[in-house]
Amino acid sequence: MNRIAFALAAAGIVMTAGLGHADTLADVKARGTLKCGVSQGLAGFSAKDDKGQWSGFDVDLCRAVASAIFDDASKVEYVPLSADARFPALQKGEIDLLSRNSTWTMQREADLKLLFAAVSYYDGQGFLVPVAKKVDTALELDKSKVCTQSGTTSVGNAKDFFKQNNMALELIELPTVDEVVKAYDEGKCDVLTTDVSQLYALRLRLAKPADYIVLPDVISKEPLGPVVRQGDDAWLNAVKWSFYALLNAEELGISQATLDQALKSQKPDVQRFVGTDGSYGEQLGLTKDWAVRIVKNVGNYGEVFERNIGAQSKLGIPRGINQLWSAGGIQYAPPIR
């Protein structure tokens, strides 16, 4: 019996170890900081300036989660990761959250045992070409040398597109964004392919950005969003609803400029959002004013989009399908109720 008990106890230890971080929210609270995996430098999404300050669309999601937990958007440790290293870092518990222009796919959930909390940005793969190439569509790219980053969905998408359209392809895969941009700038390939949003960002890094255009073709679905480990529902909910708070705030007309009025509102849906009615934040393991903290420190989804990647930013990306559903887009958040 002692041997059986010992074996069961040992098995229990192994099972517990296998779960890894089963209470990430408690771990983050105890540590006092959120470890957030981001890109190694992608303008508009996650990039570090010469003072060491991180900013961008993906960075603001990290800041939103930190705000919900600590009421302090600065309590984030940013961990820059390559495309190849991002998922293993999350699996190993080296980060709490991955917010790094990552595409939600079945394989990444089923095989890698990860979960995408939401779709923060609806994207698709496209092509960047020199204006001098004088092409209007990706169907004119037969026999092209195409650069892309290894470890991304862009590799398979490019191969599929060229094969389906009976076009020859010489695909050059490089491990980092820096190497991709360098190879493209040096003329080692005449086409660059990745998510359209990333093409806008990478074009800014070329010696003469105006000499290149993003073709109108979109060849894939690339729903991008934050990623967490499986088996930790409380943490999944905290991350998921932090993002949905950004969307709900915009839909309700709650911004950094109107937050004070929202706190005095008699509208039921606004009262639930700001925490003057119900205990929704507490049900998440947060506080009643969790959503207020997010808007106060980060803004709403529209504010995050426009200052980082929108039409008035350096990237100048149209809002497009990332508009709210009520404004003709497909961004849609479940209600807080």
Side-chain angles (χ1 to χ4, degrees), residues 174-313:
L174 297 161
T176 68
V177 170
D178 288 343
E179 290 173 275
V180 171
V181 173
K182 185 173 184 291
Y184 190 59
D185 223 5
E186 292 176 349
K188 294 180 180 177
C189 47
D190 47 11
V191 179
L192 194 159
T193 187
T194 185
D195 297 347
V196 171
S197 62
Q198 192 169 2
L199 292 177
Y200 278 93
L202 297 183
R203 183 170 61 176
L204 295 177
R205 297 174 56 177
L206 300 173
K208 296 180 179 180
D211 289 351
Y212 301 88
I213 59 169
V214 178
L215 294 177
D217 309 77
V218 177
I219 67 167
S220 69
K221 295 185 294 184
E222 304 295 329
L224 311 180
V227 195
V228 299
R229 289 177 290 273
Q230 289 187 10
D232 193 346
D233 293 348
W235 182 238
L236 172 65
N237 280 336
V239 172
K240 174 170 57 181
W241 283 100
S242 291
F243 170 69
Y244 285 146
L246 296 171
L247 282 177
N248 275 313
E250 184 181 11
E251 184 177 337
L252 293 169
I254 303 172
S255 65
Q256 289 180 317
T258 65
L259 187 56
D260 288 342
Q261 295 96 299
L263 288 165
K264 302 171 187 176
S265 177
Q266 296 304 305
K267 295 180 179 179
D269 49 0
V270 175
Q271 289 182 322
R272 289 191 291 270
F273 183 92
V274 300
T276 54
D277 177 34
S279 56
Y280 300 99
E282 292 166 321
Q283 292 169 6
L284 291 174
L286 302 172
T287 60
K288 283 196 173 195
D289 66 343
W290 65 284
V292 171
R293 294 175 170 190
I294 291 173
V295 176
K296 177 180 67 176
N297 294 319
V298 183
N300 62 35
Y301 183 86
E303 291 175 298
V304 169
F305 190 101
E306 289 306 321
R307 72 166 167 262
N308 290 302
I309 59 178
Q312 302 305 312
S313 72

Side-chain angles (χ1 to χ4, degrees), residues 5-289:
F6 180 80
L8 289 173
I13 292 172
V14 171
M15 288 174 65
T16 302
L19 289 174
H21 297 69
D23 196 351
T24 306
L25 180 58
D27 292 345
V28 170
K29 287 180 178 179
R31 187 192 310 128
T33 56
L34 167 69
K35 291 183 179 179
C36 202
V38 292
S39 76
Q40 293 170 304
L42 182 63
F45 287 87
S46 50
K48 185 168 63 172
D49 63 20
D50 54 7
K51 296 181 180 178
Q53 298 298 310
W54 285 88
S55 65
F57 182 87
D58 289 333
V59 165
D60 275 346
L61 181 56
C62 303
R63 297 175 67 243
V65 176
S67 295
I69 299 170
F70 304 114
D71 195 16
D72 187 343
S74 70
K75 290 193 172 182
V76 183
E77 177 187 341
Y78 296 101
V79 182
L81 297 164
S82 69
D84 290 323
R86 56 185 163 168
F87 297 124
L90 182 60
Q91 291 170 318
K92 295 173 186 176
E94 295 170 0
I95 56 175
D96 307 306
L97 167 66
L98 179 65
S99 184
R100 185 203 176 284
N101 58 303
S102 299
T103 299
W104 187 344
T105 69
M106 179 179 177
Q107 184 268 341
R108 287 173 174 174
E109 290 199 326
D111 185 45
L112 301 183
K113 307 302 180 186
L114 301 174
L115 286 174
F116 282 75
V119 179
S120 58
Y121 187 94
Y122 288 94
D123 209 344
Q125 187 169 330
F127 299 92
L128 183 73
V129 300
V131 173
K133 196 173 177 68
K134 296 182 180 180
V135 298
D136 299 315
T137 170
L139 294 174
E140 299 175 59
L141 297 179
D142 189 24
K143 300 178 182 178
S144 292
K145 291 184 178 180
V146 181
C147 279
T148 195
Q149 187 179 8
S150 61
T152 67
T153 54
S154 297
V155 175
N157 290 339
K159 291 178 179 177
D160 288 348
F161 177 77
F162 276 76
K163 181 178 180 180
Q164 289 166 4
N165 290 287
N166 298 311
M167 297 191 300
L169 166 67
E170 182 179 339
L171 192 63
I172 301 171
E173 299 177 48
L174 297 161
T176 68
V177 170
D178 288 343
E179 290 173 275
V180 171
V181 173
K182 185 173 184 291
Y184 190 59
D185 223 5
E186 292 176 349
K188 294 180 180 177
C189 47
D190 47 11
V191 179
L192 194 159
T193 187
T194 185
D195 297 347
V196 171
S197 62
Q198 192 169 2
L199 292 177
Y200 278 93
L202 297 183
R203 183 170 61 176
L204 295 177
R205 297 174 56 177
L206 300 173
K208 296 180 179 180
D211 289 351
Y212 301 88
I213 59 169
V214 178
L215 294 177
D217 309 77
V218 177
I219 67 167
S220 69
K221 295 185 294 184
E222 304 295 329
L224 311 180
V227 195
V228 299
R229 289 177 290 273
Q230 289 187 10
D232 193 346
D233 293 348
W235 182 238
L236 172 65
N237 280 336
V239 172
K240 174 170 57 181
W241 283 100
S242 291
F243 170 69
Y244 285 146
L246 296 171
L247 282 177
N248 275 313
E250 184 181 11
E251 184 177 337
L252 293 169
I254 303 172
S255 65
Q256 289 180 317
T258 65
L259 187 56
D260 288 342
Q261 295 96 299
L263 288 165
K264 302 171 187 176
S265 177
Q266 296 304 305
K267 295 180 179 179
D269 49 0
V270 175
Q271 289 182 322
R272 289 191 291 270
F273 183 92
V274 300
T276 54
D277 177 34
S279 56
Y280 300 99
E282 292 166 321
Q283 292 169 6
L284 291 174
L286 302 172
T287 60
K288 283 196 173 195
D289 66 343

